[in-house]
Every structure is written in C-alpha cells, then in structure tokens.
Amino acid sequence: MKHIPIYPMDCTDFSGNGLGLLTPSACRVEERANGLYELTLEMPIAQDGRFRLMQIGRVVKAACPVSPQPLYTYWEGANEALPERQIYAVSPAGGLRLYSRPTSSSASLGRYAQSTEVLLLNADHARYDLVQALPDGAVGYMRRDSLSYSRTLPAQSGASGTVVAVSPA
C-alpha cells in the first residue's frame, strides 16, 4: 500500500512528508463533475498511532485520476455560430437524481424537481444522458427515459472561450 502524506491546514509547501505518512487500508479518488474530486480513505486504527494525524482541516496529498480528454470543450471561433443546443425537462413527479457516472450506483450529485430544465451535452450512453442542470450548473448523468424534450436553443454567435459542451469523462 502506498504512503500518503498529510499536512497541516496552513501548509504551503507540499514537497515533503508533512506531519507524517498515512498507510490506509483503502484509498480511492474519483473524479466528479465540474472538476471536483471525491476522496474515500480508510485508515486502520493501529498501534503506531498514525490514525491520529487525520483531523478536520488537514490536507491529504493523494494521486488523482487524469481524464484522457478534457471535461470542458471551449468554443474558440469568435465569429462562428455556437451549435444548436437541446433543453430537456425532468419528467417524474418525484424528481430525478443527477449522477457522477452513467449508473445509479455512482455518487448522486443532487436531486432535481419535476420540470427542472437541463442542457443535453452528450447522448452517447445507452440509458443515461450527460446533462448540465440549468438552475445550478451541475454536470452529470440522468436517465434518458426520465427526461422529456422541452425546446432547442438556436445557434448564436459565440465569444472566444465560451463553454459549449462537456465531453464524457
């Protein structure tokens, strides 16, 4: 098992081992939507007392996965039109969850009420669409059969650096 350094909250130099090295029994870093990461770390309570280093506010330096392609695609053509974009609405009366991956067993990023509009970003998965929730900008996956077509945003002229799509991770 790899050693993971832990640092005090006010640390600015992460080149050394900080307060010490943790030896977790399990450590998983998962990339979530919008460039957020989630760390799950299981630290055994051992006689060496290293588990006591884990305190609220401390900084853990763990390796993170790197996407083979960027999450965001930027529109660079200032004089070209942005493509048409489709808007869908949440259908179920009880709302719908937004997931970090195209499966209901992945982390839930939120629950959205019926009629909440989402921007379709990618429909390449069999049962889930990659969407952006319009109320808060969260990006994740929703079940396709629980979304209903609402409207299409027409093509419009874009400015350089405008985010127009999110590629699947």
Side-chain angles (χ1 to χ4, degrees):
M1 176 60 63
K2 287 188 174 186
H3 296 289
I4 298 174
I6 188 166
Y7 303 89
M9 185 182 343
D10 59 351
C11 184
T12 56
D13 178 13
F14 299 99
S15 59
N17 290 333
L19 298 171
L21 296 173
L22 302 175
T23 309
S25 57
C27 181
R28 187 181 86 237
V29 180
E30 182 177 334
E31 185 176 8
R32 297 179 68 184
N34 296 330
L36 300 176
Y37 289 84
E38 181 176 301
L39 172 79
T40 304
L41 186 134
E42 293 178 16
M43 184 69 187
I45 297 176
Q47 289 185 357
D48 64 10
R50 284 193 248 179
F51 68 93
R52 291 187 183 99
L53 292 172
M54 295 182 59
Q55 295 179 13
I56 294 174
R58 297 246 166 114
V59 179
V60 176
K61 181 180 170 184
C64 294
V66 177
S67 295
Q69 54 185 307
L71 290 176
Y72 296 100
T73 302
Y74 291 94
W75 190 259
E76 295 295 340
N79 297 323
E80 299 177 35
L82 291 173
E84 285 186 347
R85 292 164 290 161
Q86 295 179 336
I87 305 292
Y88 285 78
V90 172
S91 299
L96 185 61
R97 291 202 178 276
L98 181 72
Y99 295 102
S100 60
R101 299 203 183 279
T103 174
S104 61
S105 63
S106 66
S108 173
L109 303 176
R111 186 175 194 86
Y112 294 87
Q114 183 180 30
S115 302
T116 300
E117 289 190 324
V118 297
L119 173 66
L120 177 65
L121 300 173
N122 190 306
D124 287 346
H125 192 270
R127 294 191 319 207
Y128 288 83
D129 288 336
L130 183 63
V131 298
Q132 180 178 16
L134 295 183
D136 59 9
V139 175
Y141 292 88
M142 285 186 170
R143 285 193 58 99
R144 178 176 297 128
D145 60 3
S146 296
L147 297 172
S148 58
Y149 174 79
S150 178
R151 59 193 166 100
T152 298
L153 293 177
Q156 55 186 328
S157 59
S160 181
T162 302
V163 177
V164 294
V166 177
S167 302

